[in-house]
Every structure is written in C-alpha cells, then in structure tokens.
Amino acid sequence: MPAVLDFSGTPQQSHEEWVKAMKESRRSSMSFHFHNTLRKEFPFSYQYLNDQLPLVKLYAVTCEYIKGEKQFYYRAQKFYEDVPASEEGMMGDYVELSEVDLEGSRQFLKKFVGGPGKADTKRALDCGCGIGRVSKGVLFPIFETMEMADMMEEFLLHAHEEYLGDYADRVESYFCYNLKDLRLAPRRYDVVWIQWVACHLTDKDLTEFLMRCKDSLRPNGVVVIKDNMARQGCKLDPMDSSIIRHLDIMKGIIQKAGMEVLDVVKQEGFPEIMVPIWMIAMR
C-alpha cells in the first residue's frame, strides 16, 4: 500500500524560508547543469575556461542555445559576416605576414607529401579555407585537385569567381558548412589542411571532426592543424568565439580522436608579441 508521510513533530517552515530554500535549490540545479554541459563540450579546456569567466557568462557565450543556435557558433558566424573577403580580412590586418605564413606551411607540408611512404598528390581538402589563400599559396602547386570548405558563402564565391583565377578549374567541390556539420567521404584525401579554424570548434566537436578526417584519409595521408596556441592553459575570445588552446590540450584532443602526432613545428618569423602559431601533422 502507498506510504504515508508523517509530518508530526516537524517544525513548520515559514513561507520566506521555503522560498529561500527553493531559490537555493534552483540555483544549485542550474549550476550543476551549466557545469555538466560545459564539461561535455569542453572536456579538455573546461578547467581553464572556468577560471576566466563567471559560470553563467561562460555558459551563455558557449553552450546556451538561442532560437536553436548554440551561441559559440552563432557568434562566430556573426563575426565573420563583417570580415571582408580579401587577404587582409583573412590575415586580420597582418597581410604583410601572409607570405611568411605560407612559406612555413610549404616547408612543413613537404615532409609528408611525395615519395615512398608519404602522401600522394591526388587531392587535398582545405578546411576553413576562407577565400582560398592557403589553397592558392600552398596546396594547388602540389595537388592535382582540391576541395574547399568554409561556413561563409561569400568567401567561397569570391574564391571561385575572382581570387583563385585558373586554379578554380581544379576545385572539385566547395562545401559551405561549419566543420561540425561537415561529413567526409572515406579514403578520399591525401591531405586535410585545417588552419585557423580548429579554434572555432568546441573540444567535443573538434574531436569528432578529427575522427571523420582520419577516416577520410587515403593511404599515407595526413591531417595538418595550424593554429594559434596559448602559452599556457587556454583562452576564450567571446567576440569571435575562438578558443586558443595550449599545445598539450590540442595533443589530448588529437589522442582522443584516435590519431597519432607525426610532427610538431612552431611557425617562425612572426612577432614575439603575437600568440604562437604551431603546425601539427597527424594520421
């Protein structure tokens, strides 16, 4: 039979005390929800992020959904709507460093492409390609065909119609997707290049995307991440929804994705005052 609760001898709680207790309970419940959600989305970066911003604000700029859109990605989308489709826009007004960046990428990539035991030169994928600055300066001179992915349609249109010139004839596909939504065909790419866009994915989504990249590689293929890396811990920029991770945090994500780091090299030639840029090759 149903149990009967016996309240005899229990002091009566005042209305004010009851309201206070309910508020504390609700606050505790919300706090648990915020922490739990953040740990799922940023399992490697959570500790550092939680030290930077109050929990409620951190949750709001990362994991909160408004009109079906996660704020971490909505803010990035809105930020890039104001970025011009130009080399200046892609380099954040550091266009004078573009060639330094490209040359560093060329030297790093040639370690893994062409020759016995290295990746073939049939096809590469440029992730977060923007207008195709890296495709044009690094990848097209090596690979027969290219595929390019970016969430901004304006950038892809400018790449195809103007910036790439004759190289545009060798682009097999343009993918207008955020990388968290991009699905890749298996055993298709010799190189997947991911530059200055891993910072726009949560730890969880980056891990899952790298797993898809791994499955998309042809024999001896490699994935390269080139990105800003924090000198310690990690740093969140709520304006453009980028998270700058320490190299060790990035390595943890790579390991979680089931990939092996082949080489790690720091980009030289950038001013010391700037955030360090590292290149990581993996398969």
Side-chain angles (χ1 to χ4, degrees):
M1 59 186 300
V4 178
L5 296 178
D6 181 9
F7 290 97
S8 61
T10 302
Q12 291 295 310
Q13 189 178 40
S14 70
H15 176 72
E16 290 77 10
E17 290 174 329
W18 180 84
V19 170
K20 181 180 179 181
M22 289 300 293
K23 286 183 177 179
E24 289 297 326
S25 175
R26 189 177 298 114
R27 187 178 297 111
S28 177
S29 176
M30 289 176 62
S31 178
F32 174 80
H33 170 70
F34 291 165
H35 280 294
N36 194 43
T37 303
L38 284 161
R39 285 194 184 100
K40 288 180 179 178
E41 293 293 334
F42 298 94
F44 296 90
S45 308
Y46 167 77
Q47 177 183 346
Y48 302 100
L49 294 176
N50 198 37
D51 289 339
Q52 294 176 34
L53 291 172
L55 179 62
V56 173
K57 182 175 181 180
L58 178 60
Y59 177 84
V61 298
T62 55
C63 299
E64 185 177 20
Y65 280 81
I66 297 179
K67 295 182 179 179
E69 185 78 23
K70 187 181 291 184
Q71 289 301 291
F72 187 71
Y73 294 117
Y74 174 78
R75 288 169 179 269
Q77 181 86 27
K78 297 302 288 184
F79 176 83
Y80 280 101
E81 287 177 1
D82 294 328
V83 173
S86 63
E87 288 192 354
E88 289 79 3
M90 300 301 99
M91 290 298 295
D93 295 328
Y94 290 98
V95 69
E96 70 276 6
L97 297 174
S98 181
E99 183 55 35
V100 176
D101 167 67
L102 296 174
E103 181 60 23
S105 298
R106 296 183 197 110
Q107 295 302 317
F108 186 69
L109 184 59
K110 72 179 184 181
K111 299 179 183 179
F112 309 102
V113 175
K118 296 184 179 182
D120 200 355
T121 59
K122 182 178 180 181
R123 182 184 295 112
L125 172 65
D126 186 359
C127 298
C129 64
I131 63 171
R133 186 187 65 89
V134 174
S135 288
K136 186 176 183 178
V138 178
L139 303 175
F140 271 115
I142 298 174
F143 296 94
E144 296 173 24
T145 61
M146 287 290 305
E147 294 186 352
M148 301 170 64
D150 200 279
M151 67 177 179
M152 303 305 297
E153 183 178 7
E154 180 186 359
F155 294 168
L156 296 176
L157 287 173
H158 183 75
H160 182 73
E161 296 173 357
E162 296 185 42
Y163 185 75
L164 293 179
D166 291 341
Y167 282 143
D169 295 335
R170 289 162 50 195
V171 179
E172 291 185 303
S173 301
Y174 295 97
F175 302 110
C176 191
Y177 289 101
N178 188 301
L179 296 187
K180 68 181 175 64
D181 301 315
L182 182 62
R183 300 298 181 261
L184 306 177
R187 298 173 66 86
R188 182 166 179 80
Y189 304 110
D190 297 299
V191 166
V192 177
W193 190 273
I194 309 169
Q195 181 162 347
W196 285 327
V197 68
C199 58
H200 288 296
L201 294 174
T202 67
D203 292 355
K204 174 177 175 290
D205 287 336
L206 177 55
T207 303
E208 293 175 356
F209 180 66
L210 288 178
M211 293 171 69
R212 299 197 294 274
C213 289
K214 179 184 177 183
D215 293 339
S216 77
L217 293 178
R218 299 177 70 229
N220 298 317
V222 294
V223 175
V224 176
I225 289 179
K226 184 171 186 178
D227 220 316
N228 304 325
M229 303 282 174
R231 290 185 172 86
Q232 60 180 16
C234 66
K235 182 179 180 181
L236 174 71
D237 185 342
M239 294 297 294
D240 67 354
S241 281
S242 64
I243 177 170
I244 302 173
R245 303 169 173 95
H246 187 271
L247 187 59
D248 288 343
I249 296 177
M250 187 65 79
K251 287 180 178 178
I253 292 173
I254 292 167
Q255 183 179 25
K256 181 70 173 178
M259 304 190 78
E260 175 189 1
V261 173
L262 304 177
D263 196 13
V264 180
V265 171
K266 183 181 179 183
Q267 170 70 52
E268 300 296 340
F270 275 48
E272 282 298 316
I273 195 172
M274 296 180 69
V275 176
I277 299 167
W278 289 82
M279 294 172 279
I280 312 171
M282 67 200 83
R283 67 162 57 101

